[in-house]
Amino acid sequence: MQSLLRSLPRRHRHNESHRTFVDVASIKWVRDRALDHAVEKEGNLKPLLNLKNLIKSEPSKSLPLSLIAQQRESLGIATRPVDFIRRYPSVFQEFFPGGIGIHPHVKLTPEVLGLDADEHLIYQSENNKRVGADRLLKLLMLARINKIPLRIVNRLIWDLGLPHDYTETLVPEFPDYFQVTGGNGNGSCSEPYLELVCWSNELAVSVMEKKARCEKGMPVAFPLQYSRGFEVDKKFKKWVDGWQKLPYVSPYENALHLPAKSDEADKWAVSVLHELLHLLIGKKTDRENVLLLGECLGLRSRFKRALLQHPGIFYLSSKIGTHTVVLREGYKRNLLIESHPLMDMRYKYIHLMNTVNEDKKTKGLPSKNTPEPKLGHGSKGEGEEMQDGETGKGQDGESSDFSDSEVEEGSDDYSDEEEVGDEDTSQTVSHVNARGNRVRTRKTPKYEAKRPLRSPNNSEGRNPRKTRTKERTEVSGSSHILRALFRRRSSGNVLIFNFGGI
């Protein structure tokens, strides 16, 4: 180790000593709820679109449910396929071909077919093809060997915004950019590769260089955004401040001359990872994709160290059952800053998926066939006025909800104090009558007068919620005006009506 330090320049020795007290274990990771939500809301989108594309590729535009179950792992469906399909009825429909109740099939709904048509137009547009080819070319230029195995590129086509058949549609249209070599006896390599054909100096400019507009070798500081509640240690902050002042090395340059464990090499590895995430339309990808690409580039350990030591640049989310690397500066809270047509389409798919969840909430609402809950004393009518349609009376002024067996007419048990002759008292009795009809479901209900019929505080204008209403009921076929008086008596389980004339 001492001989290694003696062989390094003094500047590298100083940087090496700076790294000795940067303890990754001392960095307290804090969750970022906004970025977690940005990752979580796209959890089932990718397997849903994979299944959508598989169904659409069939001549019958449908698939047996049993066949979908067999391809569950390749589609990325984590749950039972039948549960996944029934979770999104606005996207998938189950049916039985031929009217036979066996061997269910799955097809797409008209709503998702409309979104699929719009998505297809985006993929077929010349502008999207050109931008996608540029992204793929820049990815190849990041690799020192100028070629990447197709198995790794295939893991990134979702994040790059490329069509799933890019090797048949996009690659042949840009023969001066790249080509597929190896595999199937078409080259010396057994494994197929996507190989760079021509280097482009115009595209070999990183996003950091475009923003800084500085000369080569000048220091460029990365934007830092820490999670709320993240505590920056003094030693860590001092190291980060010194690290930001180091010269910026472009990710498209060869930095093999830098010592592997120096701060300059670390900043170059961060610039490569930073540029890679900027190429992705969602500014995020699975950590395994980053590590596999890093292994191909010979930077796997450096990428690991960059993710751990720079929480202000990169964020690791553990949502949706995996670890997702998110570029912090690409988001404002949980929303992407840089808009992309394909990302806008994906948000439309997410909205269609969540529309079903919103509709399911209405299933908990009572329908017209659902019996209303029984209302006790203190329910509606306590301090409120009942509307005319809620009194339970028919057009003839009598209660139309009680049978003859439930009402005993002609009882005169009222005392002189209970006898009502003034207008205010008749209003109070009518108000009680409106509330009494709310518990008419029992044959012989027990009524207990828990509230006085008169309240001295219910003066006119003092409390508008307790204003008494006047109800004048007219008996059909008669010129007399009757006032329906309904009293609840605790003595006996009988409803007693008293009709008094004016």
Side-chain angles (χ1 to χ4, degrees), residues 425-470:
T425 308
S426 65
Q427 295 169 2
T428 303
V429 174
S430 176
H431 193 59
V432 175
N433 184 17
R435 294 202 316 270
N437 291 336
R438 304 296 292 182
V439 289
R440 57 180 180 269
T441 55
R442 291 185 292 180
K443 290 293 183 178
T444 58
K446 295 182 180 181
Y447 295 94
E448 295 180 6
K450 294 185 178 180
R451 296 177 68 250
L453 296 179
R454 295 187 181 185
S455 177
N457 295 329
N458 288 347
S459 59
E460 200 170 340
R462 180 172 298 179
N463 190 351
R465 291 177 59 85
K466 296 185 178 181
T467 304
R468 304 186 186 117
T469 58
K470 299 180 182 180

Side-chain angles (χ1 to χ4, degrees), residues 43-61:
N44 290 330
L45 178 61
K46 190 174 180 180
L48 182 137
L49 295 184
N50 289 340
L51 180 56
K52 183 262 299 180
N53 294 332
L54 180 61
I55 296 176
K56 192 186 67 170
S57 63
E58 293 294 318
S60 62
K61 307 302 179 184

Side-chain angles (χ1 to χ4, degrees), residues 390-441:
E390 297 175 339
T391 57
K393 290 188 177 185
Q395 295 179 354
D396 57 353
E398 296 181 6
S399 176
S400 59
D401 296 324
F402 291 94
S403 62
D404 294 338
S405 61
E406 293 174 321
V407 181
E408 182 180 281
E409 300 180 359
S411 176
D412 296 327
D413 293 336
Y414 291 100
S415 61
D416 294 338
E417 295 180 355
E418 295 172 339
E419 202 167 358
V420 182
D422 60 318
E423 189 176 54
D424 291 339
T425 308
S426 65
Q427 295 169 2
T428 303
V429 174
S430 176
H431 193 59
V432 175
N433 184 17
R435 294 202 316 270
N437 291 336
R438 304 296 292 182
V439 289
R440 57 180 180 269
T441 55

Side-chain angles (χ1 to χ4, degrees), residues 24 29-30 54 87 107 117 152 188 201 284 333 394 419:
V24 177
W29 287 88
V30 180
L54 180 61
R87 185 177 180 180
K107 64 180 180 179
I152 297 180
S188 58
N201 292 326
K284 63 182 184 300
R333 295 185 63 83
E419 202 167 358

Side-chain angles (χ1 to χ4, degrees), residues 31 36 39 315-324:
R31 288 189 177 275
D36 280 341
V39 173
Y315 176 70
L316 277 175
S317 176
S318 58
K319 294 295 182 180
I320 64 176
T322 184
H323 289 87
T324 305

Side-chain angles (χ1 to χ4, degrees), residues 149-367:
L150 279 183
R151 57 180 175 84
I152 297 180
V153 180
N154 291 339
R155 296 178 64 99
L156 294 171
I157 59 174
W158 166 268
D159 301 312
L160 289 169
L162 302 177
H164 63 279
D165 56 348
Y166 72 101
T167 55
E168 291 82 15
T169 57
L170 185 65
V171 173
E173 292 190 18
F174 298 89
D176 55 335
Y177 273 19
F178 31 64
Q179 63 182 357
V180 177
T181 60
N184 300 326
N186 295 329
S188 58
C189 300
S190 59
E191 183 180 9
Y193 279 80
L194 184 67
E195 186 176 358
L196 178 69
V197 173
C198 182
W199 184 276
S200 174
N201 292 326
E202 181 182 357
L203 295 178
V205 181
S206 67
V207 64
M208 291 294 296
E209 291 174 312
K210 292 180 180 179
K211 291 180 179 180
R213 296 180 181 179
C214 62
E215 296 181 1
K216 183 178 180 180
M218 296 296 292
V220 177
F222 288 89
L224 302 178
Q225 300 175 13
Y226 295 102
S227 302
R228 182 178 298 179
F230 180 82
E231 298 179 0
V232 181
D233 184 75
K234 291 183 179 180
K235 292 183 178 180
F236 177 74
K237 184 179 184 304
K238 182 179 179 180
W239 175 78
V240 170
D241 293 341
W243 182 87
Q244 290 276 47
K245 297 177 182 179
L246 292 175
Y248 176 83
V249 181
S250 174
Y252 298 100
E253 293 184 14
N254 189 352
L256 292 178
H257 63 282
L258 298 176
K261 294 184 179 181
S262 64
D263 282 348
E264 288 89 344
D266 175 71
K267 191 166 185 177
W268 175 75
V270 170
S271 67
V272 175
L273 185 55
H274 181 272
E275 182 72 6
L276 169 64
L277 292 176
H278 253 290
L279 294 179
L280 311 180
I281 62 175
K283 304 299 182 284
K284 63 182 184 300
T285 188
D286 197 313
R287 185 185 64 171
E288 189 64 23
N289 298 341
V290 172
L291 297 181
L292 286 176
L293 181 61
E295 184 177 0
C296 176
L297 305 181
L299 301 174
R300 181 184 178 95
S301 60
R302 298 189 188 185
F303 280 177
K304 272 187 176 182
R305 188 163 56 243
L307 294 177
L308 294 175
Q309 291 187 344
H310 299 279
I313 303 176
F314 312 110
Y315 176 70
L316 277 175
S317 176
S318 58
K319 294 295 182 180
I320 64 176
T322 184
H323 289 87
T324 305
V325 182
V326 184
L327 183 64
R328 285 186 176 273
E329 66 177 275
Y331 284 83
K332 184 177 181 180
R333 295 185 63 83
N334 64 336
L335 300 177
L336 268 174
I337 297 177
E338 181 182 345
S339 178
H340 191 278
L342 287 177
M343 289 304 300
D344 295 338
M345 283 303 307
R346 292 176 185 179
Y347 291 147
K348 291 181 181 180
Y349 280 113
I350 294 174
H351 177 73
L352 182 62
M353 295 163 60
N354 293 335
T355 301
V356 180
N357 297 334
E358 294 174 0
D359 294 341
K360 287 182 179 180
K361 296 179 182 179
T362 60
K363 294 183 179 181
L365 298 178
S367 61

